[in-house]
Structures are given as C-alpha cells and as structure tokens.
Amino acid sequence: MAKSEKKAVIEFKNVMFGYTPTMLNINDVSFNIYEGEYVCVIGHNGSGKSTISKIMTGLLNIRGGKVNVYGNEIDSNNTKNIRNNIGIIFQNPDNQFVGLTVSDDIAFGLENHRVPQEKMDDIINLVAKSTGVSDLLNKSPNELSGGQKQRVAIAGIIACNPKIIIFDESTSMLDPNAKQDLKKLMLFLKNQYGKTIISVTHDMEEVTECDRVLIMNGGKLLKSGSPKEIFEDRKFLQSIKLDVPFSLQVCLEMAEVTGHEFPLSLKLNDVVNNLCSQKK
C-alpha cells in the first residue's frame, strides 16, 4: 500500500509553540505520520525535536495550528483518548518508575486502565517475555542496569497496548550493547506488533533503519524523506552540522581515496561485502 493510501495517525498543521511569550520553539511545522511507520526525528539540541514529542502526547499546549491524533484534535477534552493511543518512553527511565518491583511497575498502567486482576498477570508475563525482562519481574528498579530499565519502561507501555510508541532520546544514556538491543526492539514492535514508532534521536546509525526522517532545525521542519534521500544530500547535512552514519562515511572516504565511484549504502553489511568484492 502506498504511503498516501495509509491512514495518517498524527497530523501537524501549521503548529506554533513557545515556552515563553516572546519565543517560538516550534514555528509553523506541518507533517503527517502514517500508520505502521517508523519515523526518526533528528536535529541538534534546541532544534525543537523533543518539544514535538511532548506536543504529540498533549503534554504541551500549542499556541497556533492544529494537532490531530487519529482524526481527533488534541485539546483539554480528549486527552484520555490521546493517552490511550500513544505511549512515550523518556530519556531517563528512572523518571517513569512508580512500582517497588518490575512486576508492580508494569501493572501500574494496567491498573489505571482498569484491567481486571485475573487478566493482569497474563498480560504482565506476556509483555515481560516479549521485551526480555521475565527474569527481572521480582527485582527492584534499583537493581537494574540502564538497558534493563529501558526495557521495563517499554514493557509497561506495551502492556497498555497503545498504537503509537514515542521514544524520546531513549538510547542516549545507554551503552553500545544496550543501544543495539533497544534499536532491535523498536523494529520488533513495528514488524511484529504493527506499532507506529516515532524516535527522537541523535543516533545516526538508528536513523538508517527507519522508514522516514524528519529534520528539525531552529524550531522548523527543514526536510522530510527516506534515510537514503536524507543522507545522500551531504552538503545539506553539513550546512546544518549533522553527521552521516558510519557506513556512509566509509563509502564516501573509499571513493575519495581510490578516485573511483564506490556504491553508497546505509547498511554496514553491504559496505563490507562491497569492499570484499572490490578487493577480488
């Protein structure tokens, strides 16, 4: 199905927002996010990308324009509907823990959604298994590593079964292995559960895996496109001081060193294969 035929689950229409009366942190931003997409929002600190995620969840009231979630405009009368459809994972998972144990924490959202007690244990066990935290259910959050805490936070969100999951700089405090695990989990949620994934991120390697990229700068949406479209415009990225992924950097440097064209790829495995074939 073409993107234009898909359902727009989030619509930003000329959105304006400012933290102070004299400043616009989001300035006339418009875009759609479609059902089942994995979208990365990138940009430097202060570009407005994290503000976008908070507007989507109704945590911030816009100054102008419209934000629709599943066709319903975000306002003070329908925040319950928004919260039922969107879950958000913040940068620091410690800010999301409310239970004395991992099991209690996952149960918290279910209790708020008035899930019957007889169903709760089955849901907790199911989401714990899918996120790899089954062996942590009786542990205190204080006993967990950063990566384990993020997985528990995700388990708590999945338990409530939102259609859209937002990751707000969720990999920034993790070690490389935990980052890789979390990125695999995002793809799993999209591919196996059909979730719409929105990731606010600095991680250019993560961006190579998404369906579409939104680039924010100075409160404005500068560009939207596939990872290939975005990263092939190297001059544009340099103009706003954004890096390219390591895989693409290798391709560009190989072409410069050899003086010959080298196939551009965002996948590191493809780059390695191309290097090996050229060596032959």
Side-chain angles (χ1 to χ4, degrees):
M1 185 182 292
K3 182 179 74 175
S4 60
E5 297 173 338
K6 284 189 175 182
K7 183 177 183 180
V9 295
I10 294 180
E11 300 169 274
F12 270 50
K13 300 178 180 180
N14 308 110
V15 172
M16 317 281 280
F17 171 80
Y19 287 102
T20 68
T22 59
M23 180 181 294
L24 279 176
N25 300 88
I26 299 296
N27 189 354
D28 196 24
V29 170
S30 299
F31 61 82
N32 288 348
I33 291 177
Y34 297 91
E35 191 170 42
E37 269 197 308
Y38 175 8
V39 176
C40 283
V41 186
I42 65 174
H44 286 295
N45 289 335
S47 64
K49 61 185 188 301
S50 283
T51 302
I52 289 287
S53 70
K54 293 176 176 63
I55 291 173
M56 287 179 183
T57 54
L59 295 174
L60 297 174
N61 296 319
I62 61 175
R63 192 180 294 178
K66 288 185 179 181
V67 180
N68 293 337
V69 176
Y70 284 96
N72 297 309
E73 186 175 352
I74 292 181
D75 60 33
S76 57
N77 297 318
N78 68 357
T79 53
K80 182 178 179 181
N81 175 57
I82 303 307
R83 304 280 159 71
N84 286 341
N85 282 308
I86 299 179
I88 185 167
I89 312 296
F90 292 107
Q91 179 179 19
N92 187 349
D94 287 326
N95 295 336
Q96 294 185 243
F97 279 104
V98 293
L100 294 177
T101 67
V102 166
S103 182
D104 291 340
D105 199 77
I106 297 173
F108 180 76
L110 296 172
E111 290 167 352
N112 285 339
H113 283 76
R114 299 180 181 177
V115 174
Q117 184 66 47
E118 59 270 20
K119 293 183 179 181
M120 205 176 292
D121 287 342
D122 288 340
I123 295 172
I124 291 171
N125 289 328
L126 180 64
V127 298
K129 182 178 180 180
S130 69
T131 54
V133 299
S134 296
D135 58 334
L136 306 177
L137 288 175
N138 294 321
K139 289 185 177 291
S140 162
N142 295 330
E143 300 177 68
L144 308 182
S145 68
Q148 289 172 330
K149 288 177 180 179
Q150 281 291 32
R151 283 182 172 272
V152 172
I154 294 166
I157 294 296
I158 296 174
C160 298
N161 200 28
K163 298 174 183 176
I164 303 166
I165 302 178
I166 301 173
F167 294 82
D168 190 357
E169 300 281 12
S170 300
T171 63
S172 62
M173 298 179 67
L174 303 181
D175 62 49
N177 288 336
K179 280 185 181 182
Q180 194 62 29
D181 287 344
L182 184 53
K183 287 184 277 190
K184 287 178 182 177
L185 186 55
M186 290 181 194
L187 289 170
F188 175 77
L189 292 170
K190 167 186 156 60
N191 296 330
Q192 299 299 318
Y193 284 88
K195 302 297 184 185
T196 302
I197 304 296
I198 302 165
S199 179
V200 176
T201 184
H202 280 105
D203 187 346
M204 293 299 115
E205 304 306 319
E206 177 193 339
V207 175
T208 65
E209 301 288 346
C210 75
D211 299 315
R212 191 155 51 97
V213 188
L214 305 179
I215 299 182
M216 295 294 299
N217 192 57
K220 294 187 176 185
L221 177 63
L222 290 191
K223 197 167 186 176
S224 171
S226 69
K228 186 174 185 293
E229 291 168 337
I230 294 297
F231 290 123
E232 282 187 349
D233 193 349
R234 195 181 183 196
K235 289 184 179 178
F236 167 73
L237 293 173
Q238 287 175 333
S239 72
I240 58 173
K241 296 181 172 57
L242 283 178
D243 295 326
V244 299
F246 175 72
S247 54
L248 187 55
Q249 187 66 40
V250 171
C251 297
L252 295 169
E253 292 188 6
M254 278 297 298
E256 186 176 335
V257 168
T258 62
H260 302 292
E261 286 190 10
F262 188 86
L264 297 180
S265 177
L266 298 177
K267 307 293 184 183
L268 194 55
N269 284 343
D270 291 344
V271 175
V272 172
N273 290 334
N274 289 332
L275 282 168
C276 292
S277 64
Q278 289 213 351
K279 189 175 180 180
K280 293 177 182 178

